[in-house]
């Protein structure tokens, strides 16, 4: 089994490291954030990701998984280095490669034996070759000729089910032109190989493109059903029935056909923008994706304006917003639609009472710009107290089973705005509340 180093112990690096150790590899996860590493050494997981604590604990205990800040020391014994650092959006929409470059150069400055450098971060097409150049440059500065290969191995896990996704992937993509590196990668993923997970071996560029094309396609699918939902509202159709029937068509599939307040998160927004930038740089405009980005921004605003359409003037209104993370089962609020919604409602004069099962700490700084109009509630019922409407912004399981009679008594006015369509209108109405969902037309 391989001795692996992971550079970057965030959402992807921590899950990849823990799960690769679970596959039987020896893994050291590196981060330059001391608090993160110290916390992981004590078995405290700095992010909310269901099931990750057990995998970390199990593999740390048997010595296959450890955490360190000393890259030089751990590189001496390893032949595979994963780069899993962030690639946040730059002002022009392109992926900022500053962290990837720094990680690659660090590796080039330190390796002393043949190493496979695996790019797990989502990066623009052509980055693998840049990584090769950065490492080579650092080796040359040292007068070294150490052998190495670069592999692109994009990650498809979803936050909230990341451990399951990493250990049960639909496919593993390995982009490399080196047979030696491909063999080592098959070894790294031996457990999945034996389970007959499809392995798709490509060149570097195709692997990089697969990640962007997959995320962009899913963003388009979500946006498509959002637009259909908007049309349903005007025409008397019900998007729940429409999406359900569409999803039964094997050519379409049921996933990512749930209308809502627009997509968010750390991946779809930044990866679609990066793909658009790559398209423009190559004089191949990605019209569908460009339009998707525009519609998604409108959809977030549309969701916020729905509240205003229902309640009239928001000045002096108090609104309860449930769910702040960009999706359930994560504390990640990067580009969460809830931020745009809260900011809009606040700009119209509303006071907000917000609650999220995992993202309250995150919300305190993400909503800092409107902190004077936000009350951070202790739970969903505390948030509902005295509010003029209950708004479901993120579909956490615990919000699927709200005691509607209790909520109805706590609300100042009986208004229930379900931006994720998780309730049946009749169920809410029978508790004496007026129900407003997405894409449910009335004729
Ligand atoms: P993150 O911000 O949670 O984690 C990145 C980590 O890298 C941070 O802890 C940071 O301190 C560390 N880091 C940066 N430079 C470093 C260096 N030189 N040495 C050591 N540590 C360093 O990011 P993430 O969400 O894990 O995403 C990582 C990459 O994976 C991105 O390219 C992202 O697009 C991609 N990705 C993310 C997801 C997801 O769901 N989050 C899914 C698939 C792919």
């Amino acid at each position: 089994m391989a001795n692996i180093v992971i550079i970057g112990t965030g959402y992807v690096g921590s899950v990849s490291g823990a799960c690769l150790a679970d596959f039987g590899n020896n893994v050291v996860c590196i981060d330059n954030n001391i608090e993160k590493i110290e916390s992981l050494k004590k078995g405290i997981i700095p992010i909310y990701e269901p099931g990750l604590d057990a995998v970390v604990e199990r593999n740390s205990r048997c010595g296959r998984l450890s955490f360190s800040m000393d890259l030089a020391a751990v590189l001496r014994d390893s032949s595979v280095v994963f780069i899993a650092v962030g690639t946040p959006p730059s002002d022009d929409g392109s992926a900022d490669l500053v962290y990837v470059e720094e990680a690659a150069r660090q590796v080039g400055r330190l390796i002393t034996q043949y190493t496979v450098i695996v790019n797990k971060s989502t990066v623009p097409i052509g980055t693998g070759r840049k990584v090769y150049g950065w490492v080579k440059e650092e080796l040359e500065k040292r007068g070294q000729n150490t052998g190495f290969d670069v592999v692109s191995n994009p990650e498809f896990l979803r936050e909230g089910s990341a451990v399951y996704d990493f250990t049960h992937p639909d496919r593993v993509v390995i982009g490399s032109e080196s047979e030696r590196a491909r063999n080592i990668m098959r070894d790294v993923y031996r457990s999945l190989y034996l389970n007959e997970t499809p392995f798709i071996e490509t060149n570097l560029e195709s692997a990089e493109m697969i990640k962007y094309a997959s995320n962009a396609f899913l963003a388009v699918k979500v946006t498509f059903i959002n637009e259909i939902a908007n049309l349903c509202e005007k025409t008397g159709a019900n998007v729940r029935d429409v999406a359900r029937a569409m999803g039964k068509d094997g050519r379409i599939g049921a996933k990512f056909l749930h209308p809502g307040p627009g997509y968010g998160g750390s991946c779809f927004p930044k990866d679609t923008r990066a793909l658009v930038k790559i398209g423009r740089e190559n004089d191949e405009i990605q019209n569908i994706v460009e339009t998707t980005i525009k519609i998604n921004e409108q959809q977030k605003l549309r969701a916020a304006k729905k509240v205003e359409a229902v309640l009239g003037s928001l000045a002096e209104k108090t609104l309860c917003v449930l769910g702040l993370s960009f999706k359930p089962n994560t504390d990640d609020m990067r580009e969460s639609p809830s931020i745009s919604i809260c900011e809009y409602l606040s700009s119209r004069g509303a006071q907000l009472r917000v609650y999220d099962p995992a993202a309250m700490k995150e919300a305190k700084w993400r909503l800092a710009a409107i902190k004077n109009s936000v009350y951070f509630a202790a739970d969903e019922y505390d948030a509902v107290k005295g509010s003029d409407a209950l708004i479901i912004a993120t579909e956490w399981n615990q919000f699927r089973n709200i005691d509607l009679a209790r909520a109805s008594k706590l609300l100042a006015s009986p208004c229930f705005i379900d931006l994720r369509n998780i309730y049946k209108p009749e169920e809410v109405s029978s508790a004496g509340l007026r129900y407003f969902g997405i894409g449910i037309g009335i004729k």
Side-chain angles (χ1 to χ4, degrees):
M1 281 295 151
N3 284 344
I4 297 171
V5 172
I6 312 258
I7 304 180
T9 308
Y11 285 89
V12 166
S14 59
V15 173
S16 306
C19 294
L20 287 172
D22 223 32
F23 292 166
N25 298 290
N26 294 313
V27 181
V28 185
C29 291
I30 296 277
D31 206 283
N32 51 15
N33 179 330
I34 187 163
E35 283 163 31
K36 216 173 245 192
I37 292 300
E38 288 308 318
S39 155
L40 283 158
K41 277 182 178 172
K42 289 184 209 136
I44 302 163
I45 313 293
I47 54 167
Y48 181 89
E49 184 57 54
L52 181 57
D53 49 355
V55 189
V56 168
E57 198 274 324
R58 182 164 69 235
N59 288 282
S60 302
R61 192 160 24 89
C62 68
R64 277 200 302 260
L65 178 66
S66 57
F67 301 93
S68 170
M69 294 189 72
D70 189 352
L71 184 60
V74 301
L75 276 182
R76 277 196 284 277
D77 299 319
S78 72
S79 49
V80 184
V81 180
F82 280 75
I83 298 178
V85 299
T87 45
S90 309
D91 289 343
D92 65 359
S94 61
D96 187 347
L97 293 179
V98 62
Y99 303 108
V100 173
E101 177 171 353
E102 179 49 23
R105 288 191 182 280
Q106 280 175 309
V107 174
R109 287 195 284 266
L110 295 167
I111 49 169
T112 51
Q113 63 197 346
Y114 173 80
T115 303
V116 179
I117 300 163
V118 187
N119 213 348
K120 206 163 231 337
S121 300
T122 303
V123 290
I125 297 98
T127 305
R129 290 194 197 275
K130 283 187 182 163
V131 166
Y132 189 90
W134 292 324
V135 175
K136 188 102 192 126
E137 217 175 285
E138 294 301 327
L139 282 168
E140 280 166 5
K141 280 188 205 160
R142 291 163 55 204
Q144 296 294 318
N145 196 18
T146 315
F148 71 96
D149 282 303
V150 176
V151 169
S152 168
N153 171 221
E155 184 48 55
F156 301 96
L157 62 76
R158 296 161 299 172
E159 287 173 22
S161 52
V163 170
Y164 181 86
D165 290 349
F166 194 93
T167 49
H168 300 77
D170 291 332
R171 75 300 207 190
V172 173
V173 175
I174 310 279
S176 170
E177 278 115 57
S178 153
E179 187 51 25
R180 184 175 180 186
R182 277 198 297 267
N183 274 332
I184 291 175
M185 291 305 288
R186 286 179 203 129
D187 223 32
V188 165
Y189 284 111
R190 197 174 147 74
S191 305
L192 297 179
Y193 223 80
L194 297 175
N195 282 345
E196 297 185 7
T197 301
F199 273 65
I200 298 172
E201 298 187 347
T202 69
N203 64 12
L204 276 168
E205 286 75 11
S206 304
E208 290 165 343
M209 179 64 95
I210 287 166
K211 175 64 189 173
Y212 276 120
S214 303
N215 269 2
F217 187 83
L218 293 174
V220 169
K221 196 172 174 189
V222 171
T223 304
F224 179 85
I225 200 65
N226 280 341
E227 277 211 306
I228 292 291
N230 298 343
L231 189 56
C232 285
E233 286 182 9
K234 297 277 170 67
T235 55
N238 185 331
V239 75
R240 289 172 196 243
D241 299 332
V242 174
R244 188 155 169 265
M246 281 175 69
K248 292 284 177 207
D249 186 327
R251 294 167 303 178
I252 297 173
K255 290 185 179 161
F256 288 82
L257 270 191
H258 305 285
Y263 60 76
S266 68
C267 293
F268 286 7
K270 93 173 162 63
D271 294 348
T272 45
R273 288 200 290 267
L275 184 59
V276 161
K277 188 78 191 353
I278 298 164
R280 289 196 168 255
E281 280 164 5
N282 286 280
D283 212 8
E284 286 297 342
I285 292 182
Q286 300 297 294
N287 287 302
I288 295 176
V289 183
E290 289 203 9
T291 307
T292 293
I293 295 168
K294 217 181 301 159
I295 299 169
N296 192 58
E297 286 309 308
Q298 290 164 9
Q299 188 71 10
K300 290 194 249 176
L301 199 59
R302 188 184 168 105
K305 286 189 171 168
K306 183 183 262 296
V307 178
E308 202 168 25
V310 168
L311 292 174
S313 165
L314 297 181
E316 295 176 27
K317 292 269 180 1
T318 300
L319 304 171
C320 154
V321 179
L322 298 184
L324 300 169
S325 54
F326 82 94
K327 65 174 190 173
N329 295 325
T330 180
D331 56 353
D332 198 343
M333 277 183 70
R334 285 178 280 187
E335 305 217 27
S336 175
S338 70
I339 301 174
S340 314
I341 293 170
C342 288
E343 286 179 349
Y344 179 82
L345 298 176
S346 161
S347 76
R348 308 301 287 169
Q351 291 296 312
L352 306 177
R353 296 174 71 85
V354 305
Y355 175 68
D356 186 282
M360 294 305 268
K361 190 171 156 210
E362 191 75 4
K364 284 186 183 144
W365 71 270
R366 296 263 181 204
L367 298 179
I370 53 165
K371 67 175 190 298
N372 291 337
S373 51
V374 181
Y375 166 74
F376 294 94
D379 60 28
E380 53 269 54
Y381 298 104
D382 183 30
V384 167
K385 253 181 234 162
S387 294
D388 294 291
L390 184 164
I391 301 160
I392 295 198
T394 309
E395 69 280 30
W396 280 85
N397 266 346
Q398 76 183 69
F399 302 151
R400 291 175 187 269
N401 270 314
I402 292 172
D403 179 342
L404 294 172
R406 184 174 166 198
S408 179
K409 278 194 205 123
L410 291 168
L411 279 163
S413 61
C415 183
F416 193 103
I417 302 174
D418 181 3
L419 298 177
R420 297 287 179 171
N421 280 1
I422 57 175
Y423 278 86
K424 291 201 175 97
E426 319 79 74
E427 194 184 354
V428 176
S429 308
S430 64
L433 297 167
R434 289 195 302 149
Y435 179 86
F436 302 89
I438 294 240
I440 304 168
I442 298 158
K443 274 273 156 182

